[in-house]
Amino acid sequence: MPNRIPERTARPRRFLMCRPTHFTVDYAINPWMDPERPTDTALAVRQWEHLRTLYRRLGHTVELIEPLPGLPDMVYTANGATVLDGRALVATFRHPERAGESDAHQAWFRAHGYREVRRAGHVNEGEGDLLVAGRRVLAGTGFRTDPAAHAEARALFGVQVLSLTLVDPRFYHLDTALAVLDDDHVMYYPAAFSPDSQALLRSLYPDAILADRADAEVFGLNAVSDGRRVLLPEPAKALAAQLAEQGYEPWPVDVSELLKGGGGPKCCTLELRPA
């Protein structure tokens, strides 16, 4: 008998996004950034607008944070915080080029009535490295977020926080190497992780979707799932096919200009989880 395709259920989400009004690449803080490569801000805005429109079409709510001059990476709102149960743990960035984003996000959460807003005491790059999977947080380290930040998240959110070590600098944030598809299902690129972390992921998610190198290198794992619909970069063809085989609806999006800064759909999308 053929394997039964699981039924997937979409849930409406609330996202925070930032228009790439000031997007450019004039410094390099990850392997994908090249200041010598021209960028097209108008194209980045059009791609971002399409992503936002898709979220709304799919029934999700999109909140906006004002883009600030001098902060070209602010479009990558996922890095600004981790939000769970109405609490916001605001990022403390490793690189000074992004430090100003922390103040902007902290002010936004306070202005919007979040019951607890805390600035991370250790380097912590938000949902770039702290991905919520049900009542568990998968927490990356190796290039950006300090391991001590994982304990800080555990103390604030009161949930299990599991550390995963990244070993390939091209996958400098956890959300470039792993995507949460539903509370108990993920997809990831094994070679981005240390052997111990690979073993942990196999034990936690024996039915995970595994990406190949080609799809990982086009940021196919920097994806956003609502439990059924998965928005991911267009070039990740094999990964999209795997998602369809597992009962998901892949929604390919063109984020080619935003990829020049080292970010895709997920980097542009911070989920706001209410209490």
Side-chain angles (χ1 to χ4, degrees):
M1 254 181 101
N3 291 332
R4 181 174 175 272
I5 297 175
E7 291 186 12
R8 307 294 182 183
T9 303
R11 290 186 292 111
R13 311 295 175 105
R14 183 176 294 272
F15 299 131
L16 180 64
M17 299 182 72
C18 181
R19 186 187 306 276
T21 304
H22 308 291
F23 177 76
T24 187
V25 177
D26 55 13
Y27 52 78
I29 59 173
N30 68 58
W32 307 97
M33 301 176 84
D34 180 2
E36 300 300 316
R37 186 182 181 191
T39 52
D40 184 336
T41 303
L43 177 57
V45 170
R46 289 196 298 273
Q47 292 177 352
W48 178 91
E49 288 279 10
H50 179 64
L51 180 63
R52 182 179 66 156
T53 298
L54 279 180
Y55 286 144
R56 289 175 166 173
R57 185 187 304 169
L58 294 173
H60 305 307
T61 301
V62 178
E63 305 278 359
L64 297 178
I65 185 172
E66 188 70 20
L68 299 178
L71 297 174
D73 285 345
M74 200 168 163
V75 61
Y76 305 125
T77 51
N79 305 151
T82 304
V83 183
L84 182 61
D85 295 335
R87 297 182 174 92
L89 182 57
V90 177
T92 294
F93 288 92
R94 180 165 297 280
H95 295 287
E97 291 89 345
R98 300 197 67 181
E101 297 176 43
S102 295
D103 288 341
H105 280 88
Q106 184 165 309
W108 190 92
F109 284 108
R110 286 181 173 167
H112 286 77
Y114 280 73
R115 61 176 178 163
E116 189 166 0
V117 180
R118 186 180 302 179
R119 179 79 64 91
H122 302 276
V123 173
N124 175 337
E125 301 209 346
E127 274 198 337
D129 273 326
L130 276 72
L131 295 176
V132 178
R135 300 307 297 174
R136 163 190 295 155
V137 173
L138 302 175
T141 189
F143 298 102
R144 295 292 184 87
T145 297
D146 192 296
H150 299 177
E152 190 176 15
R154 186 180 302 114
L156 176 62
F157 297 130
V159 298
Q160 184 183 41
V161 177
L162 299 175
S163 297
L164 298 168
T165 301
L166 298 162
V167 296
D168 186 330
R170 296 172 302 166
F171 306 104
Y172 58 95
H173 275 151
L174 182 62
D175 71 356
T176 67
L178 183 148
V180 175
L181 298 171
D182 209 346
D183 288 353
D184 57 359
H185 199 209
V186 304
M187 59 181 182
Y188 67 96
Y189 176 49
F193 296 91
S194 69
D196 286 349
S197 294
Q198 290 183 42
L200 177 59
L201 286 169
R202 284 195 300 270
S203 68
L204 292 172
Y205 304 105
D207 61 346
I209 294 174
L210 303 182
D212 62 21
R213 177 178 174 178
D215 279 354
E217 288 181 345
V218 294
F219 267 45
L221 293 160
N222 196 248
V224 177
S225 172
D226 64 10
R228 187 173 81 234
R229 289 81 60 99
V230 182
L231 282 70
L232 74 168
E234 279 182 345
K237 305 293 188 185
L239 198 53
Q242 287 195 75
L243 286 163
E245 290 169 1
Q246 291 292 318
Y248 295 99
E249 296 176 17
W251 286 66
V253 292
D254 180 8
V255 288
S256 54
E257 198 64 21
L258 294 162
L259 283 171
K260 293 178 181 178
K266 175 57 193 165
C267 286
C268 296
T269 310
L270 174 61
E271 185 165 350
L272 305 174
R273 299 174 183 83

